[in-house]
Amino acid sequence: MNETAFERIEIPTPFHIGSMNCYAFLGADITLVDPGPATDEAYDTLRSRLEAEGYGLDDIDRILVTHPHMDHFGLASRLKAVSDAELLAHEDAVDQLADPDGYLAREQAFFEPFLASMGMPEQVAGTTVELPEPYATFREPVTVDETFTEGERVDVGDELEIVHTPGHSPGSACFVDPVDGTAFTGDHVLAEISPNPLLTLEPGTSEQRTRSLPTYLESLRRLRKLDIDVGVGYAGHRGTIPDVVERAVEIVDHHHDRKEAFADVLEADGPMTAYQLMRDRFPDLPATEMFPGMCEVIGHLDLLEDEGRVEITETDGVRRYELA
Ligand SMILES: [Zn+2]
Ligand SMILES: [Zn+2]
């Protein structure tokens, strides 16, 4: 099997994380794994890189989406408009891809009172949920032509096996080449960054949040338990991961340490709200980091709750955590 059947195309994004990686399989068929955000810069970068290889954007046959975040899928709609490309994604990503504005509105409606119930002052909660709005221009709604599910294989020249890895986002998937054990990991596993499993709505609901961190850790463990030995990983950002399984173990350990640090604070100063815990651990967080910060705290509280180590009491609609 040809191991260099694809090209890594580094696409600029307007986001703090910097560029993202689009992977282009260039053979009889052209398949892109994650095209990038909906910006002219991303479009032009992709076009010139494909042209350098002797292809046009209209030659694209297939687009695989690792997860429904705009730095990865935003451009898909424009590419579909100039090619006959089919879009493939996990079924839990379909709603967010098809109607990102509606999805954001449902998230805002849920998370504003939710964050208040976690001890965040109401006004801060209001601002926090409105902050993503200006970024709406970097994604365009796109229809999924075909959904894929766990264990299914997609032929992109090589066969890639779908591994469902929710956590960083619902509908997240890794694409594993069973022949050489390489994996396209999206944002599920990154070489230098520990992805923040952001809280979202449980797919198909408007009233239930995901327990993103426990789900994420479970997805990391599943990558380690596959029949396929996963080695090198091609990530959604930054460099190649030398050993995906080793990196997954590192990330699991990192969250274990963080969880114990939160438990120590609760032991010393509990009962506390998630918001108080966040202020304690990250006192100087800018407004733009409030939501990720709350997700970080609540994720670790969820782990402690799953282990039966915290008691939760609710007074006047606000939840407080203490060690059991
Ligand atoms: Zn992401
Ligand atoms: Zn990303």
Side-chain angles (χ1 to χ4, degrees), residues 199 209-212 214 298-306:
L199 298 177
R209 70 169 174 97
T210 50
R211 294 172 75 81
S212 302
I298 294 164
H300 291 93
L301 290 172
D302 285 347
L303 293 177
L304 290 169
E305 185 186 356
D306 288 349

Side-chain angles (χ1 to χ4, degrees), residues 53-95:
E53 303 291 335
Y55 301 97
L57 291 176
D58 54 345
D59 292 322
I60 301 168
D61 297 291
R62 195 179 295 107
I63 300 168
L64 303 182
V65 172
T66 60
H67 68 294
H69 284 173
M70 57 188 134
D71 50 333
H72 298 262
F73 84 85
L75 196 58
S77 162
R78 289 199 210 180
L79 298 178
K80 284 188 69 170
V82 296
S83 67
D84 294 324
E86 276 205 312
L87 188 83
L88 286 80
H90 190 272
E91 62 172 330
D92 288 347
V94 170
D95 285 351

Side-chain angles (χ1 to χ4, degrees), residues 33-34 64-67 89-90 148-154 159-166 168-169 171-178 181-190 216 219-220 222-224 226 228 230 232-236 241 244 248:
V33 173
D34 287 350
L64 303 182
V65 172
T66 60
H67 68 294
H90 190 272
F148 48 61
T149 52
E150 172 74 22
E152 201 175 302
R153 292 193 176 180
V154 179
E159 290 229 303
L160 297 179
E161 184 165 315
I162 308 298
V163 182
H164 183 210
T165 53
H168 169 68
S169 142
S172 161
C174 292
F175 310 128
V176 179
D177 184 333
T182 55
F184 296 87
T185 58
D187 284 353
H188 179 55
V189 186
L190 299 167
Y216 176 65
S219 290
L220 285 178
R222 285 190 46 243
L223 259 191
R224 289 155 54 187
L226 290 180
I228 307 162
V230 183
V232 171
Y234 300 103
I241 306 159
V244 170

Side-chain angles (χ1 to χ4, degrees), residues 75-121:
L75 196 58
S77 162
R78 289 199 210 180
L79 298 178
K80 284 188 69 170
V82 296
S83 67
D84 294 324
E86 276 205 312
L87 188 83
L88 286 80
H90 190 272
E91 62 172 330
D92 288 347
V94 170
D95 285 351
Q96 206 172 340
L97 294 170
D99 180 17
D101 291 341
Y103 188 87
L104 176 61
R106 286 198 298 280
E107 283 201 321
Q108 289 171 320
F110 174 81
F111 279 105
E112 190 173 347
F114 171 77
L115 291 172
S117 79
M118 287 289 169
M120 190 180 255

Side-chain angles (χ1 to χ4, degrees), residues 258-310:
R258 286 235 155 164
K259 176 186 68 190
E260 294 307 326
F262 283 117
D264 289 347
V265 177
L266 281 182
E267 180 155 51
D269 300 325
M272 292 169 88
T273 65
Y275 183 71
Q276 286 170 326
L277 263 172
M278 185 188 73
R279 302 298 283 175
D280 178 86
R281 291 279 300 172
F282 315 110
D284 300 316
L285 227 46
T288 48
E289 293 302 313
M290 287 282 173
F291 190 70
M294 287 297 280
C295 293
E296 166 91 19
V297 174
I298 294 164
H300 291 93
L301 290 172
D302 285 347
L303 293 177
L304 290 169
E305 185 186 356
D306 288 349
E307 291 173 13
R309 292 170 63 191
V310 285

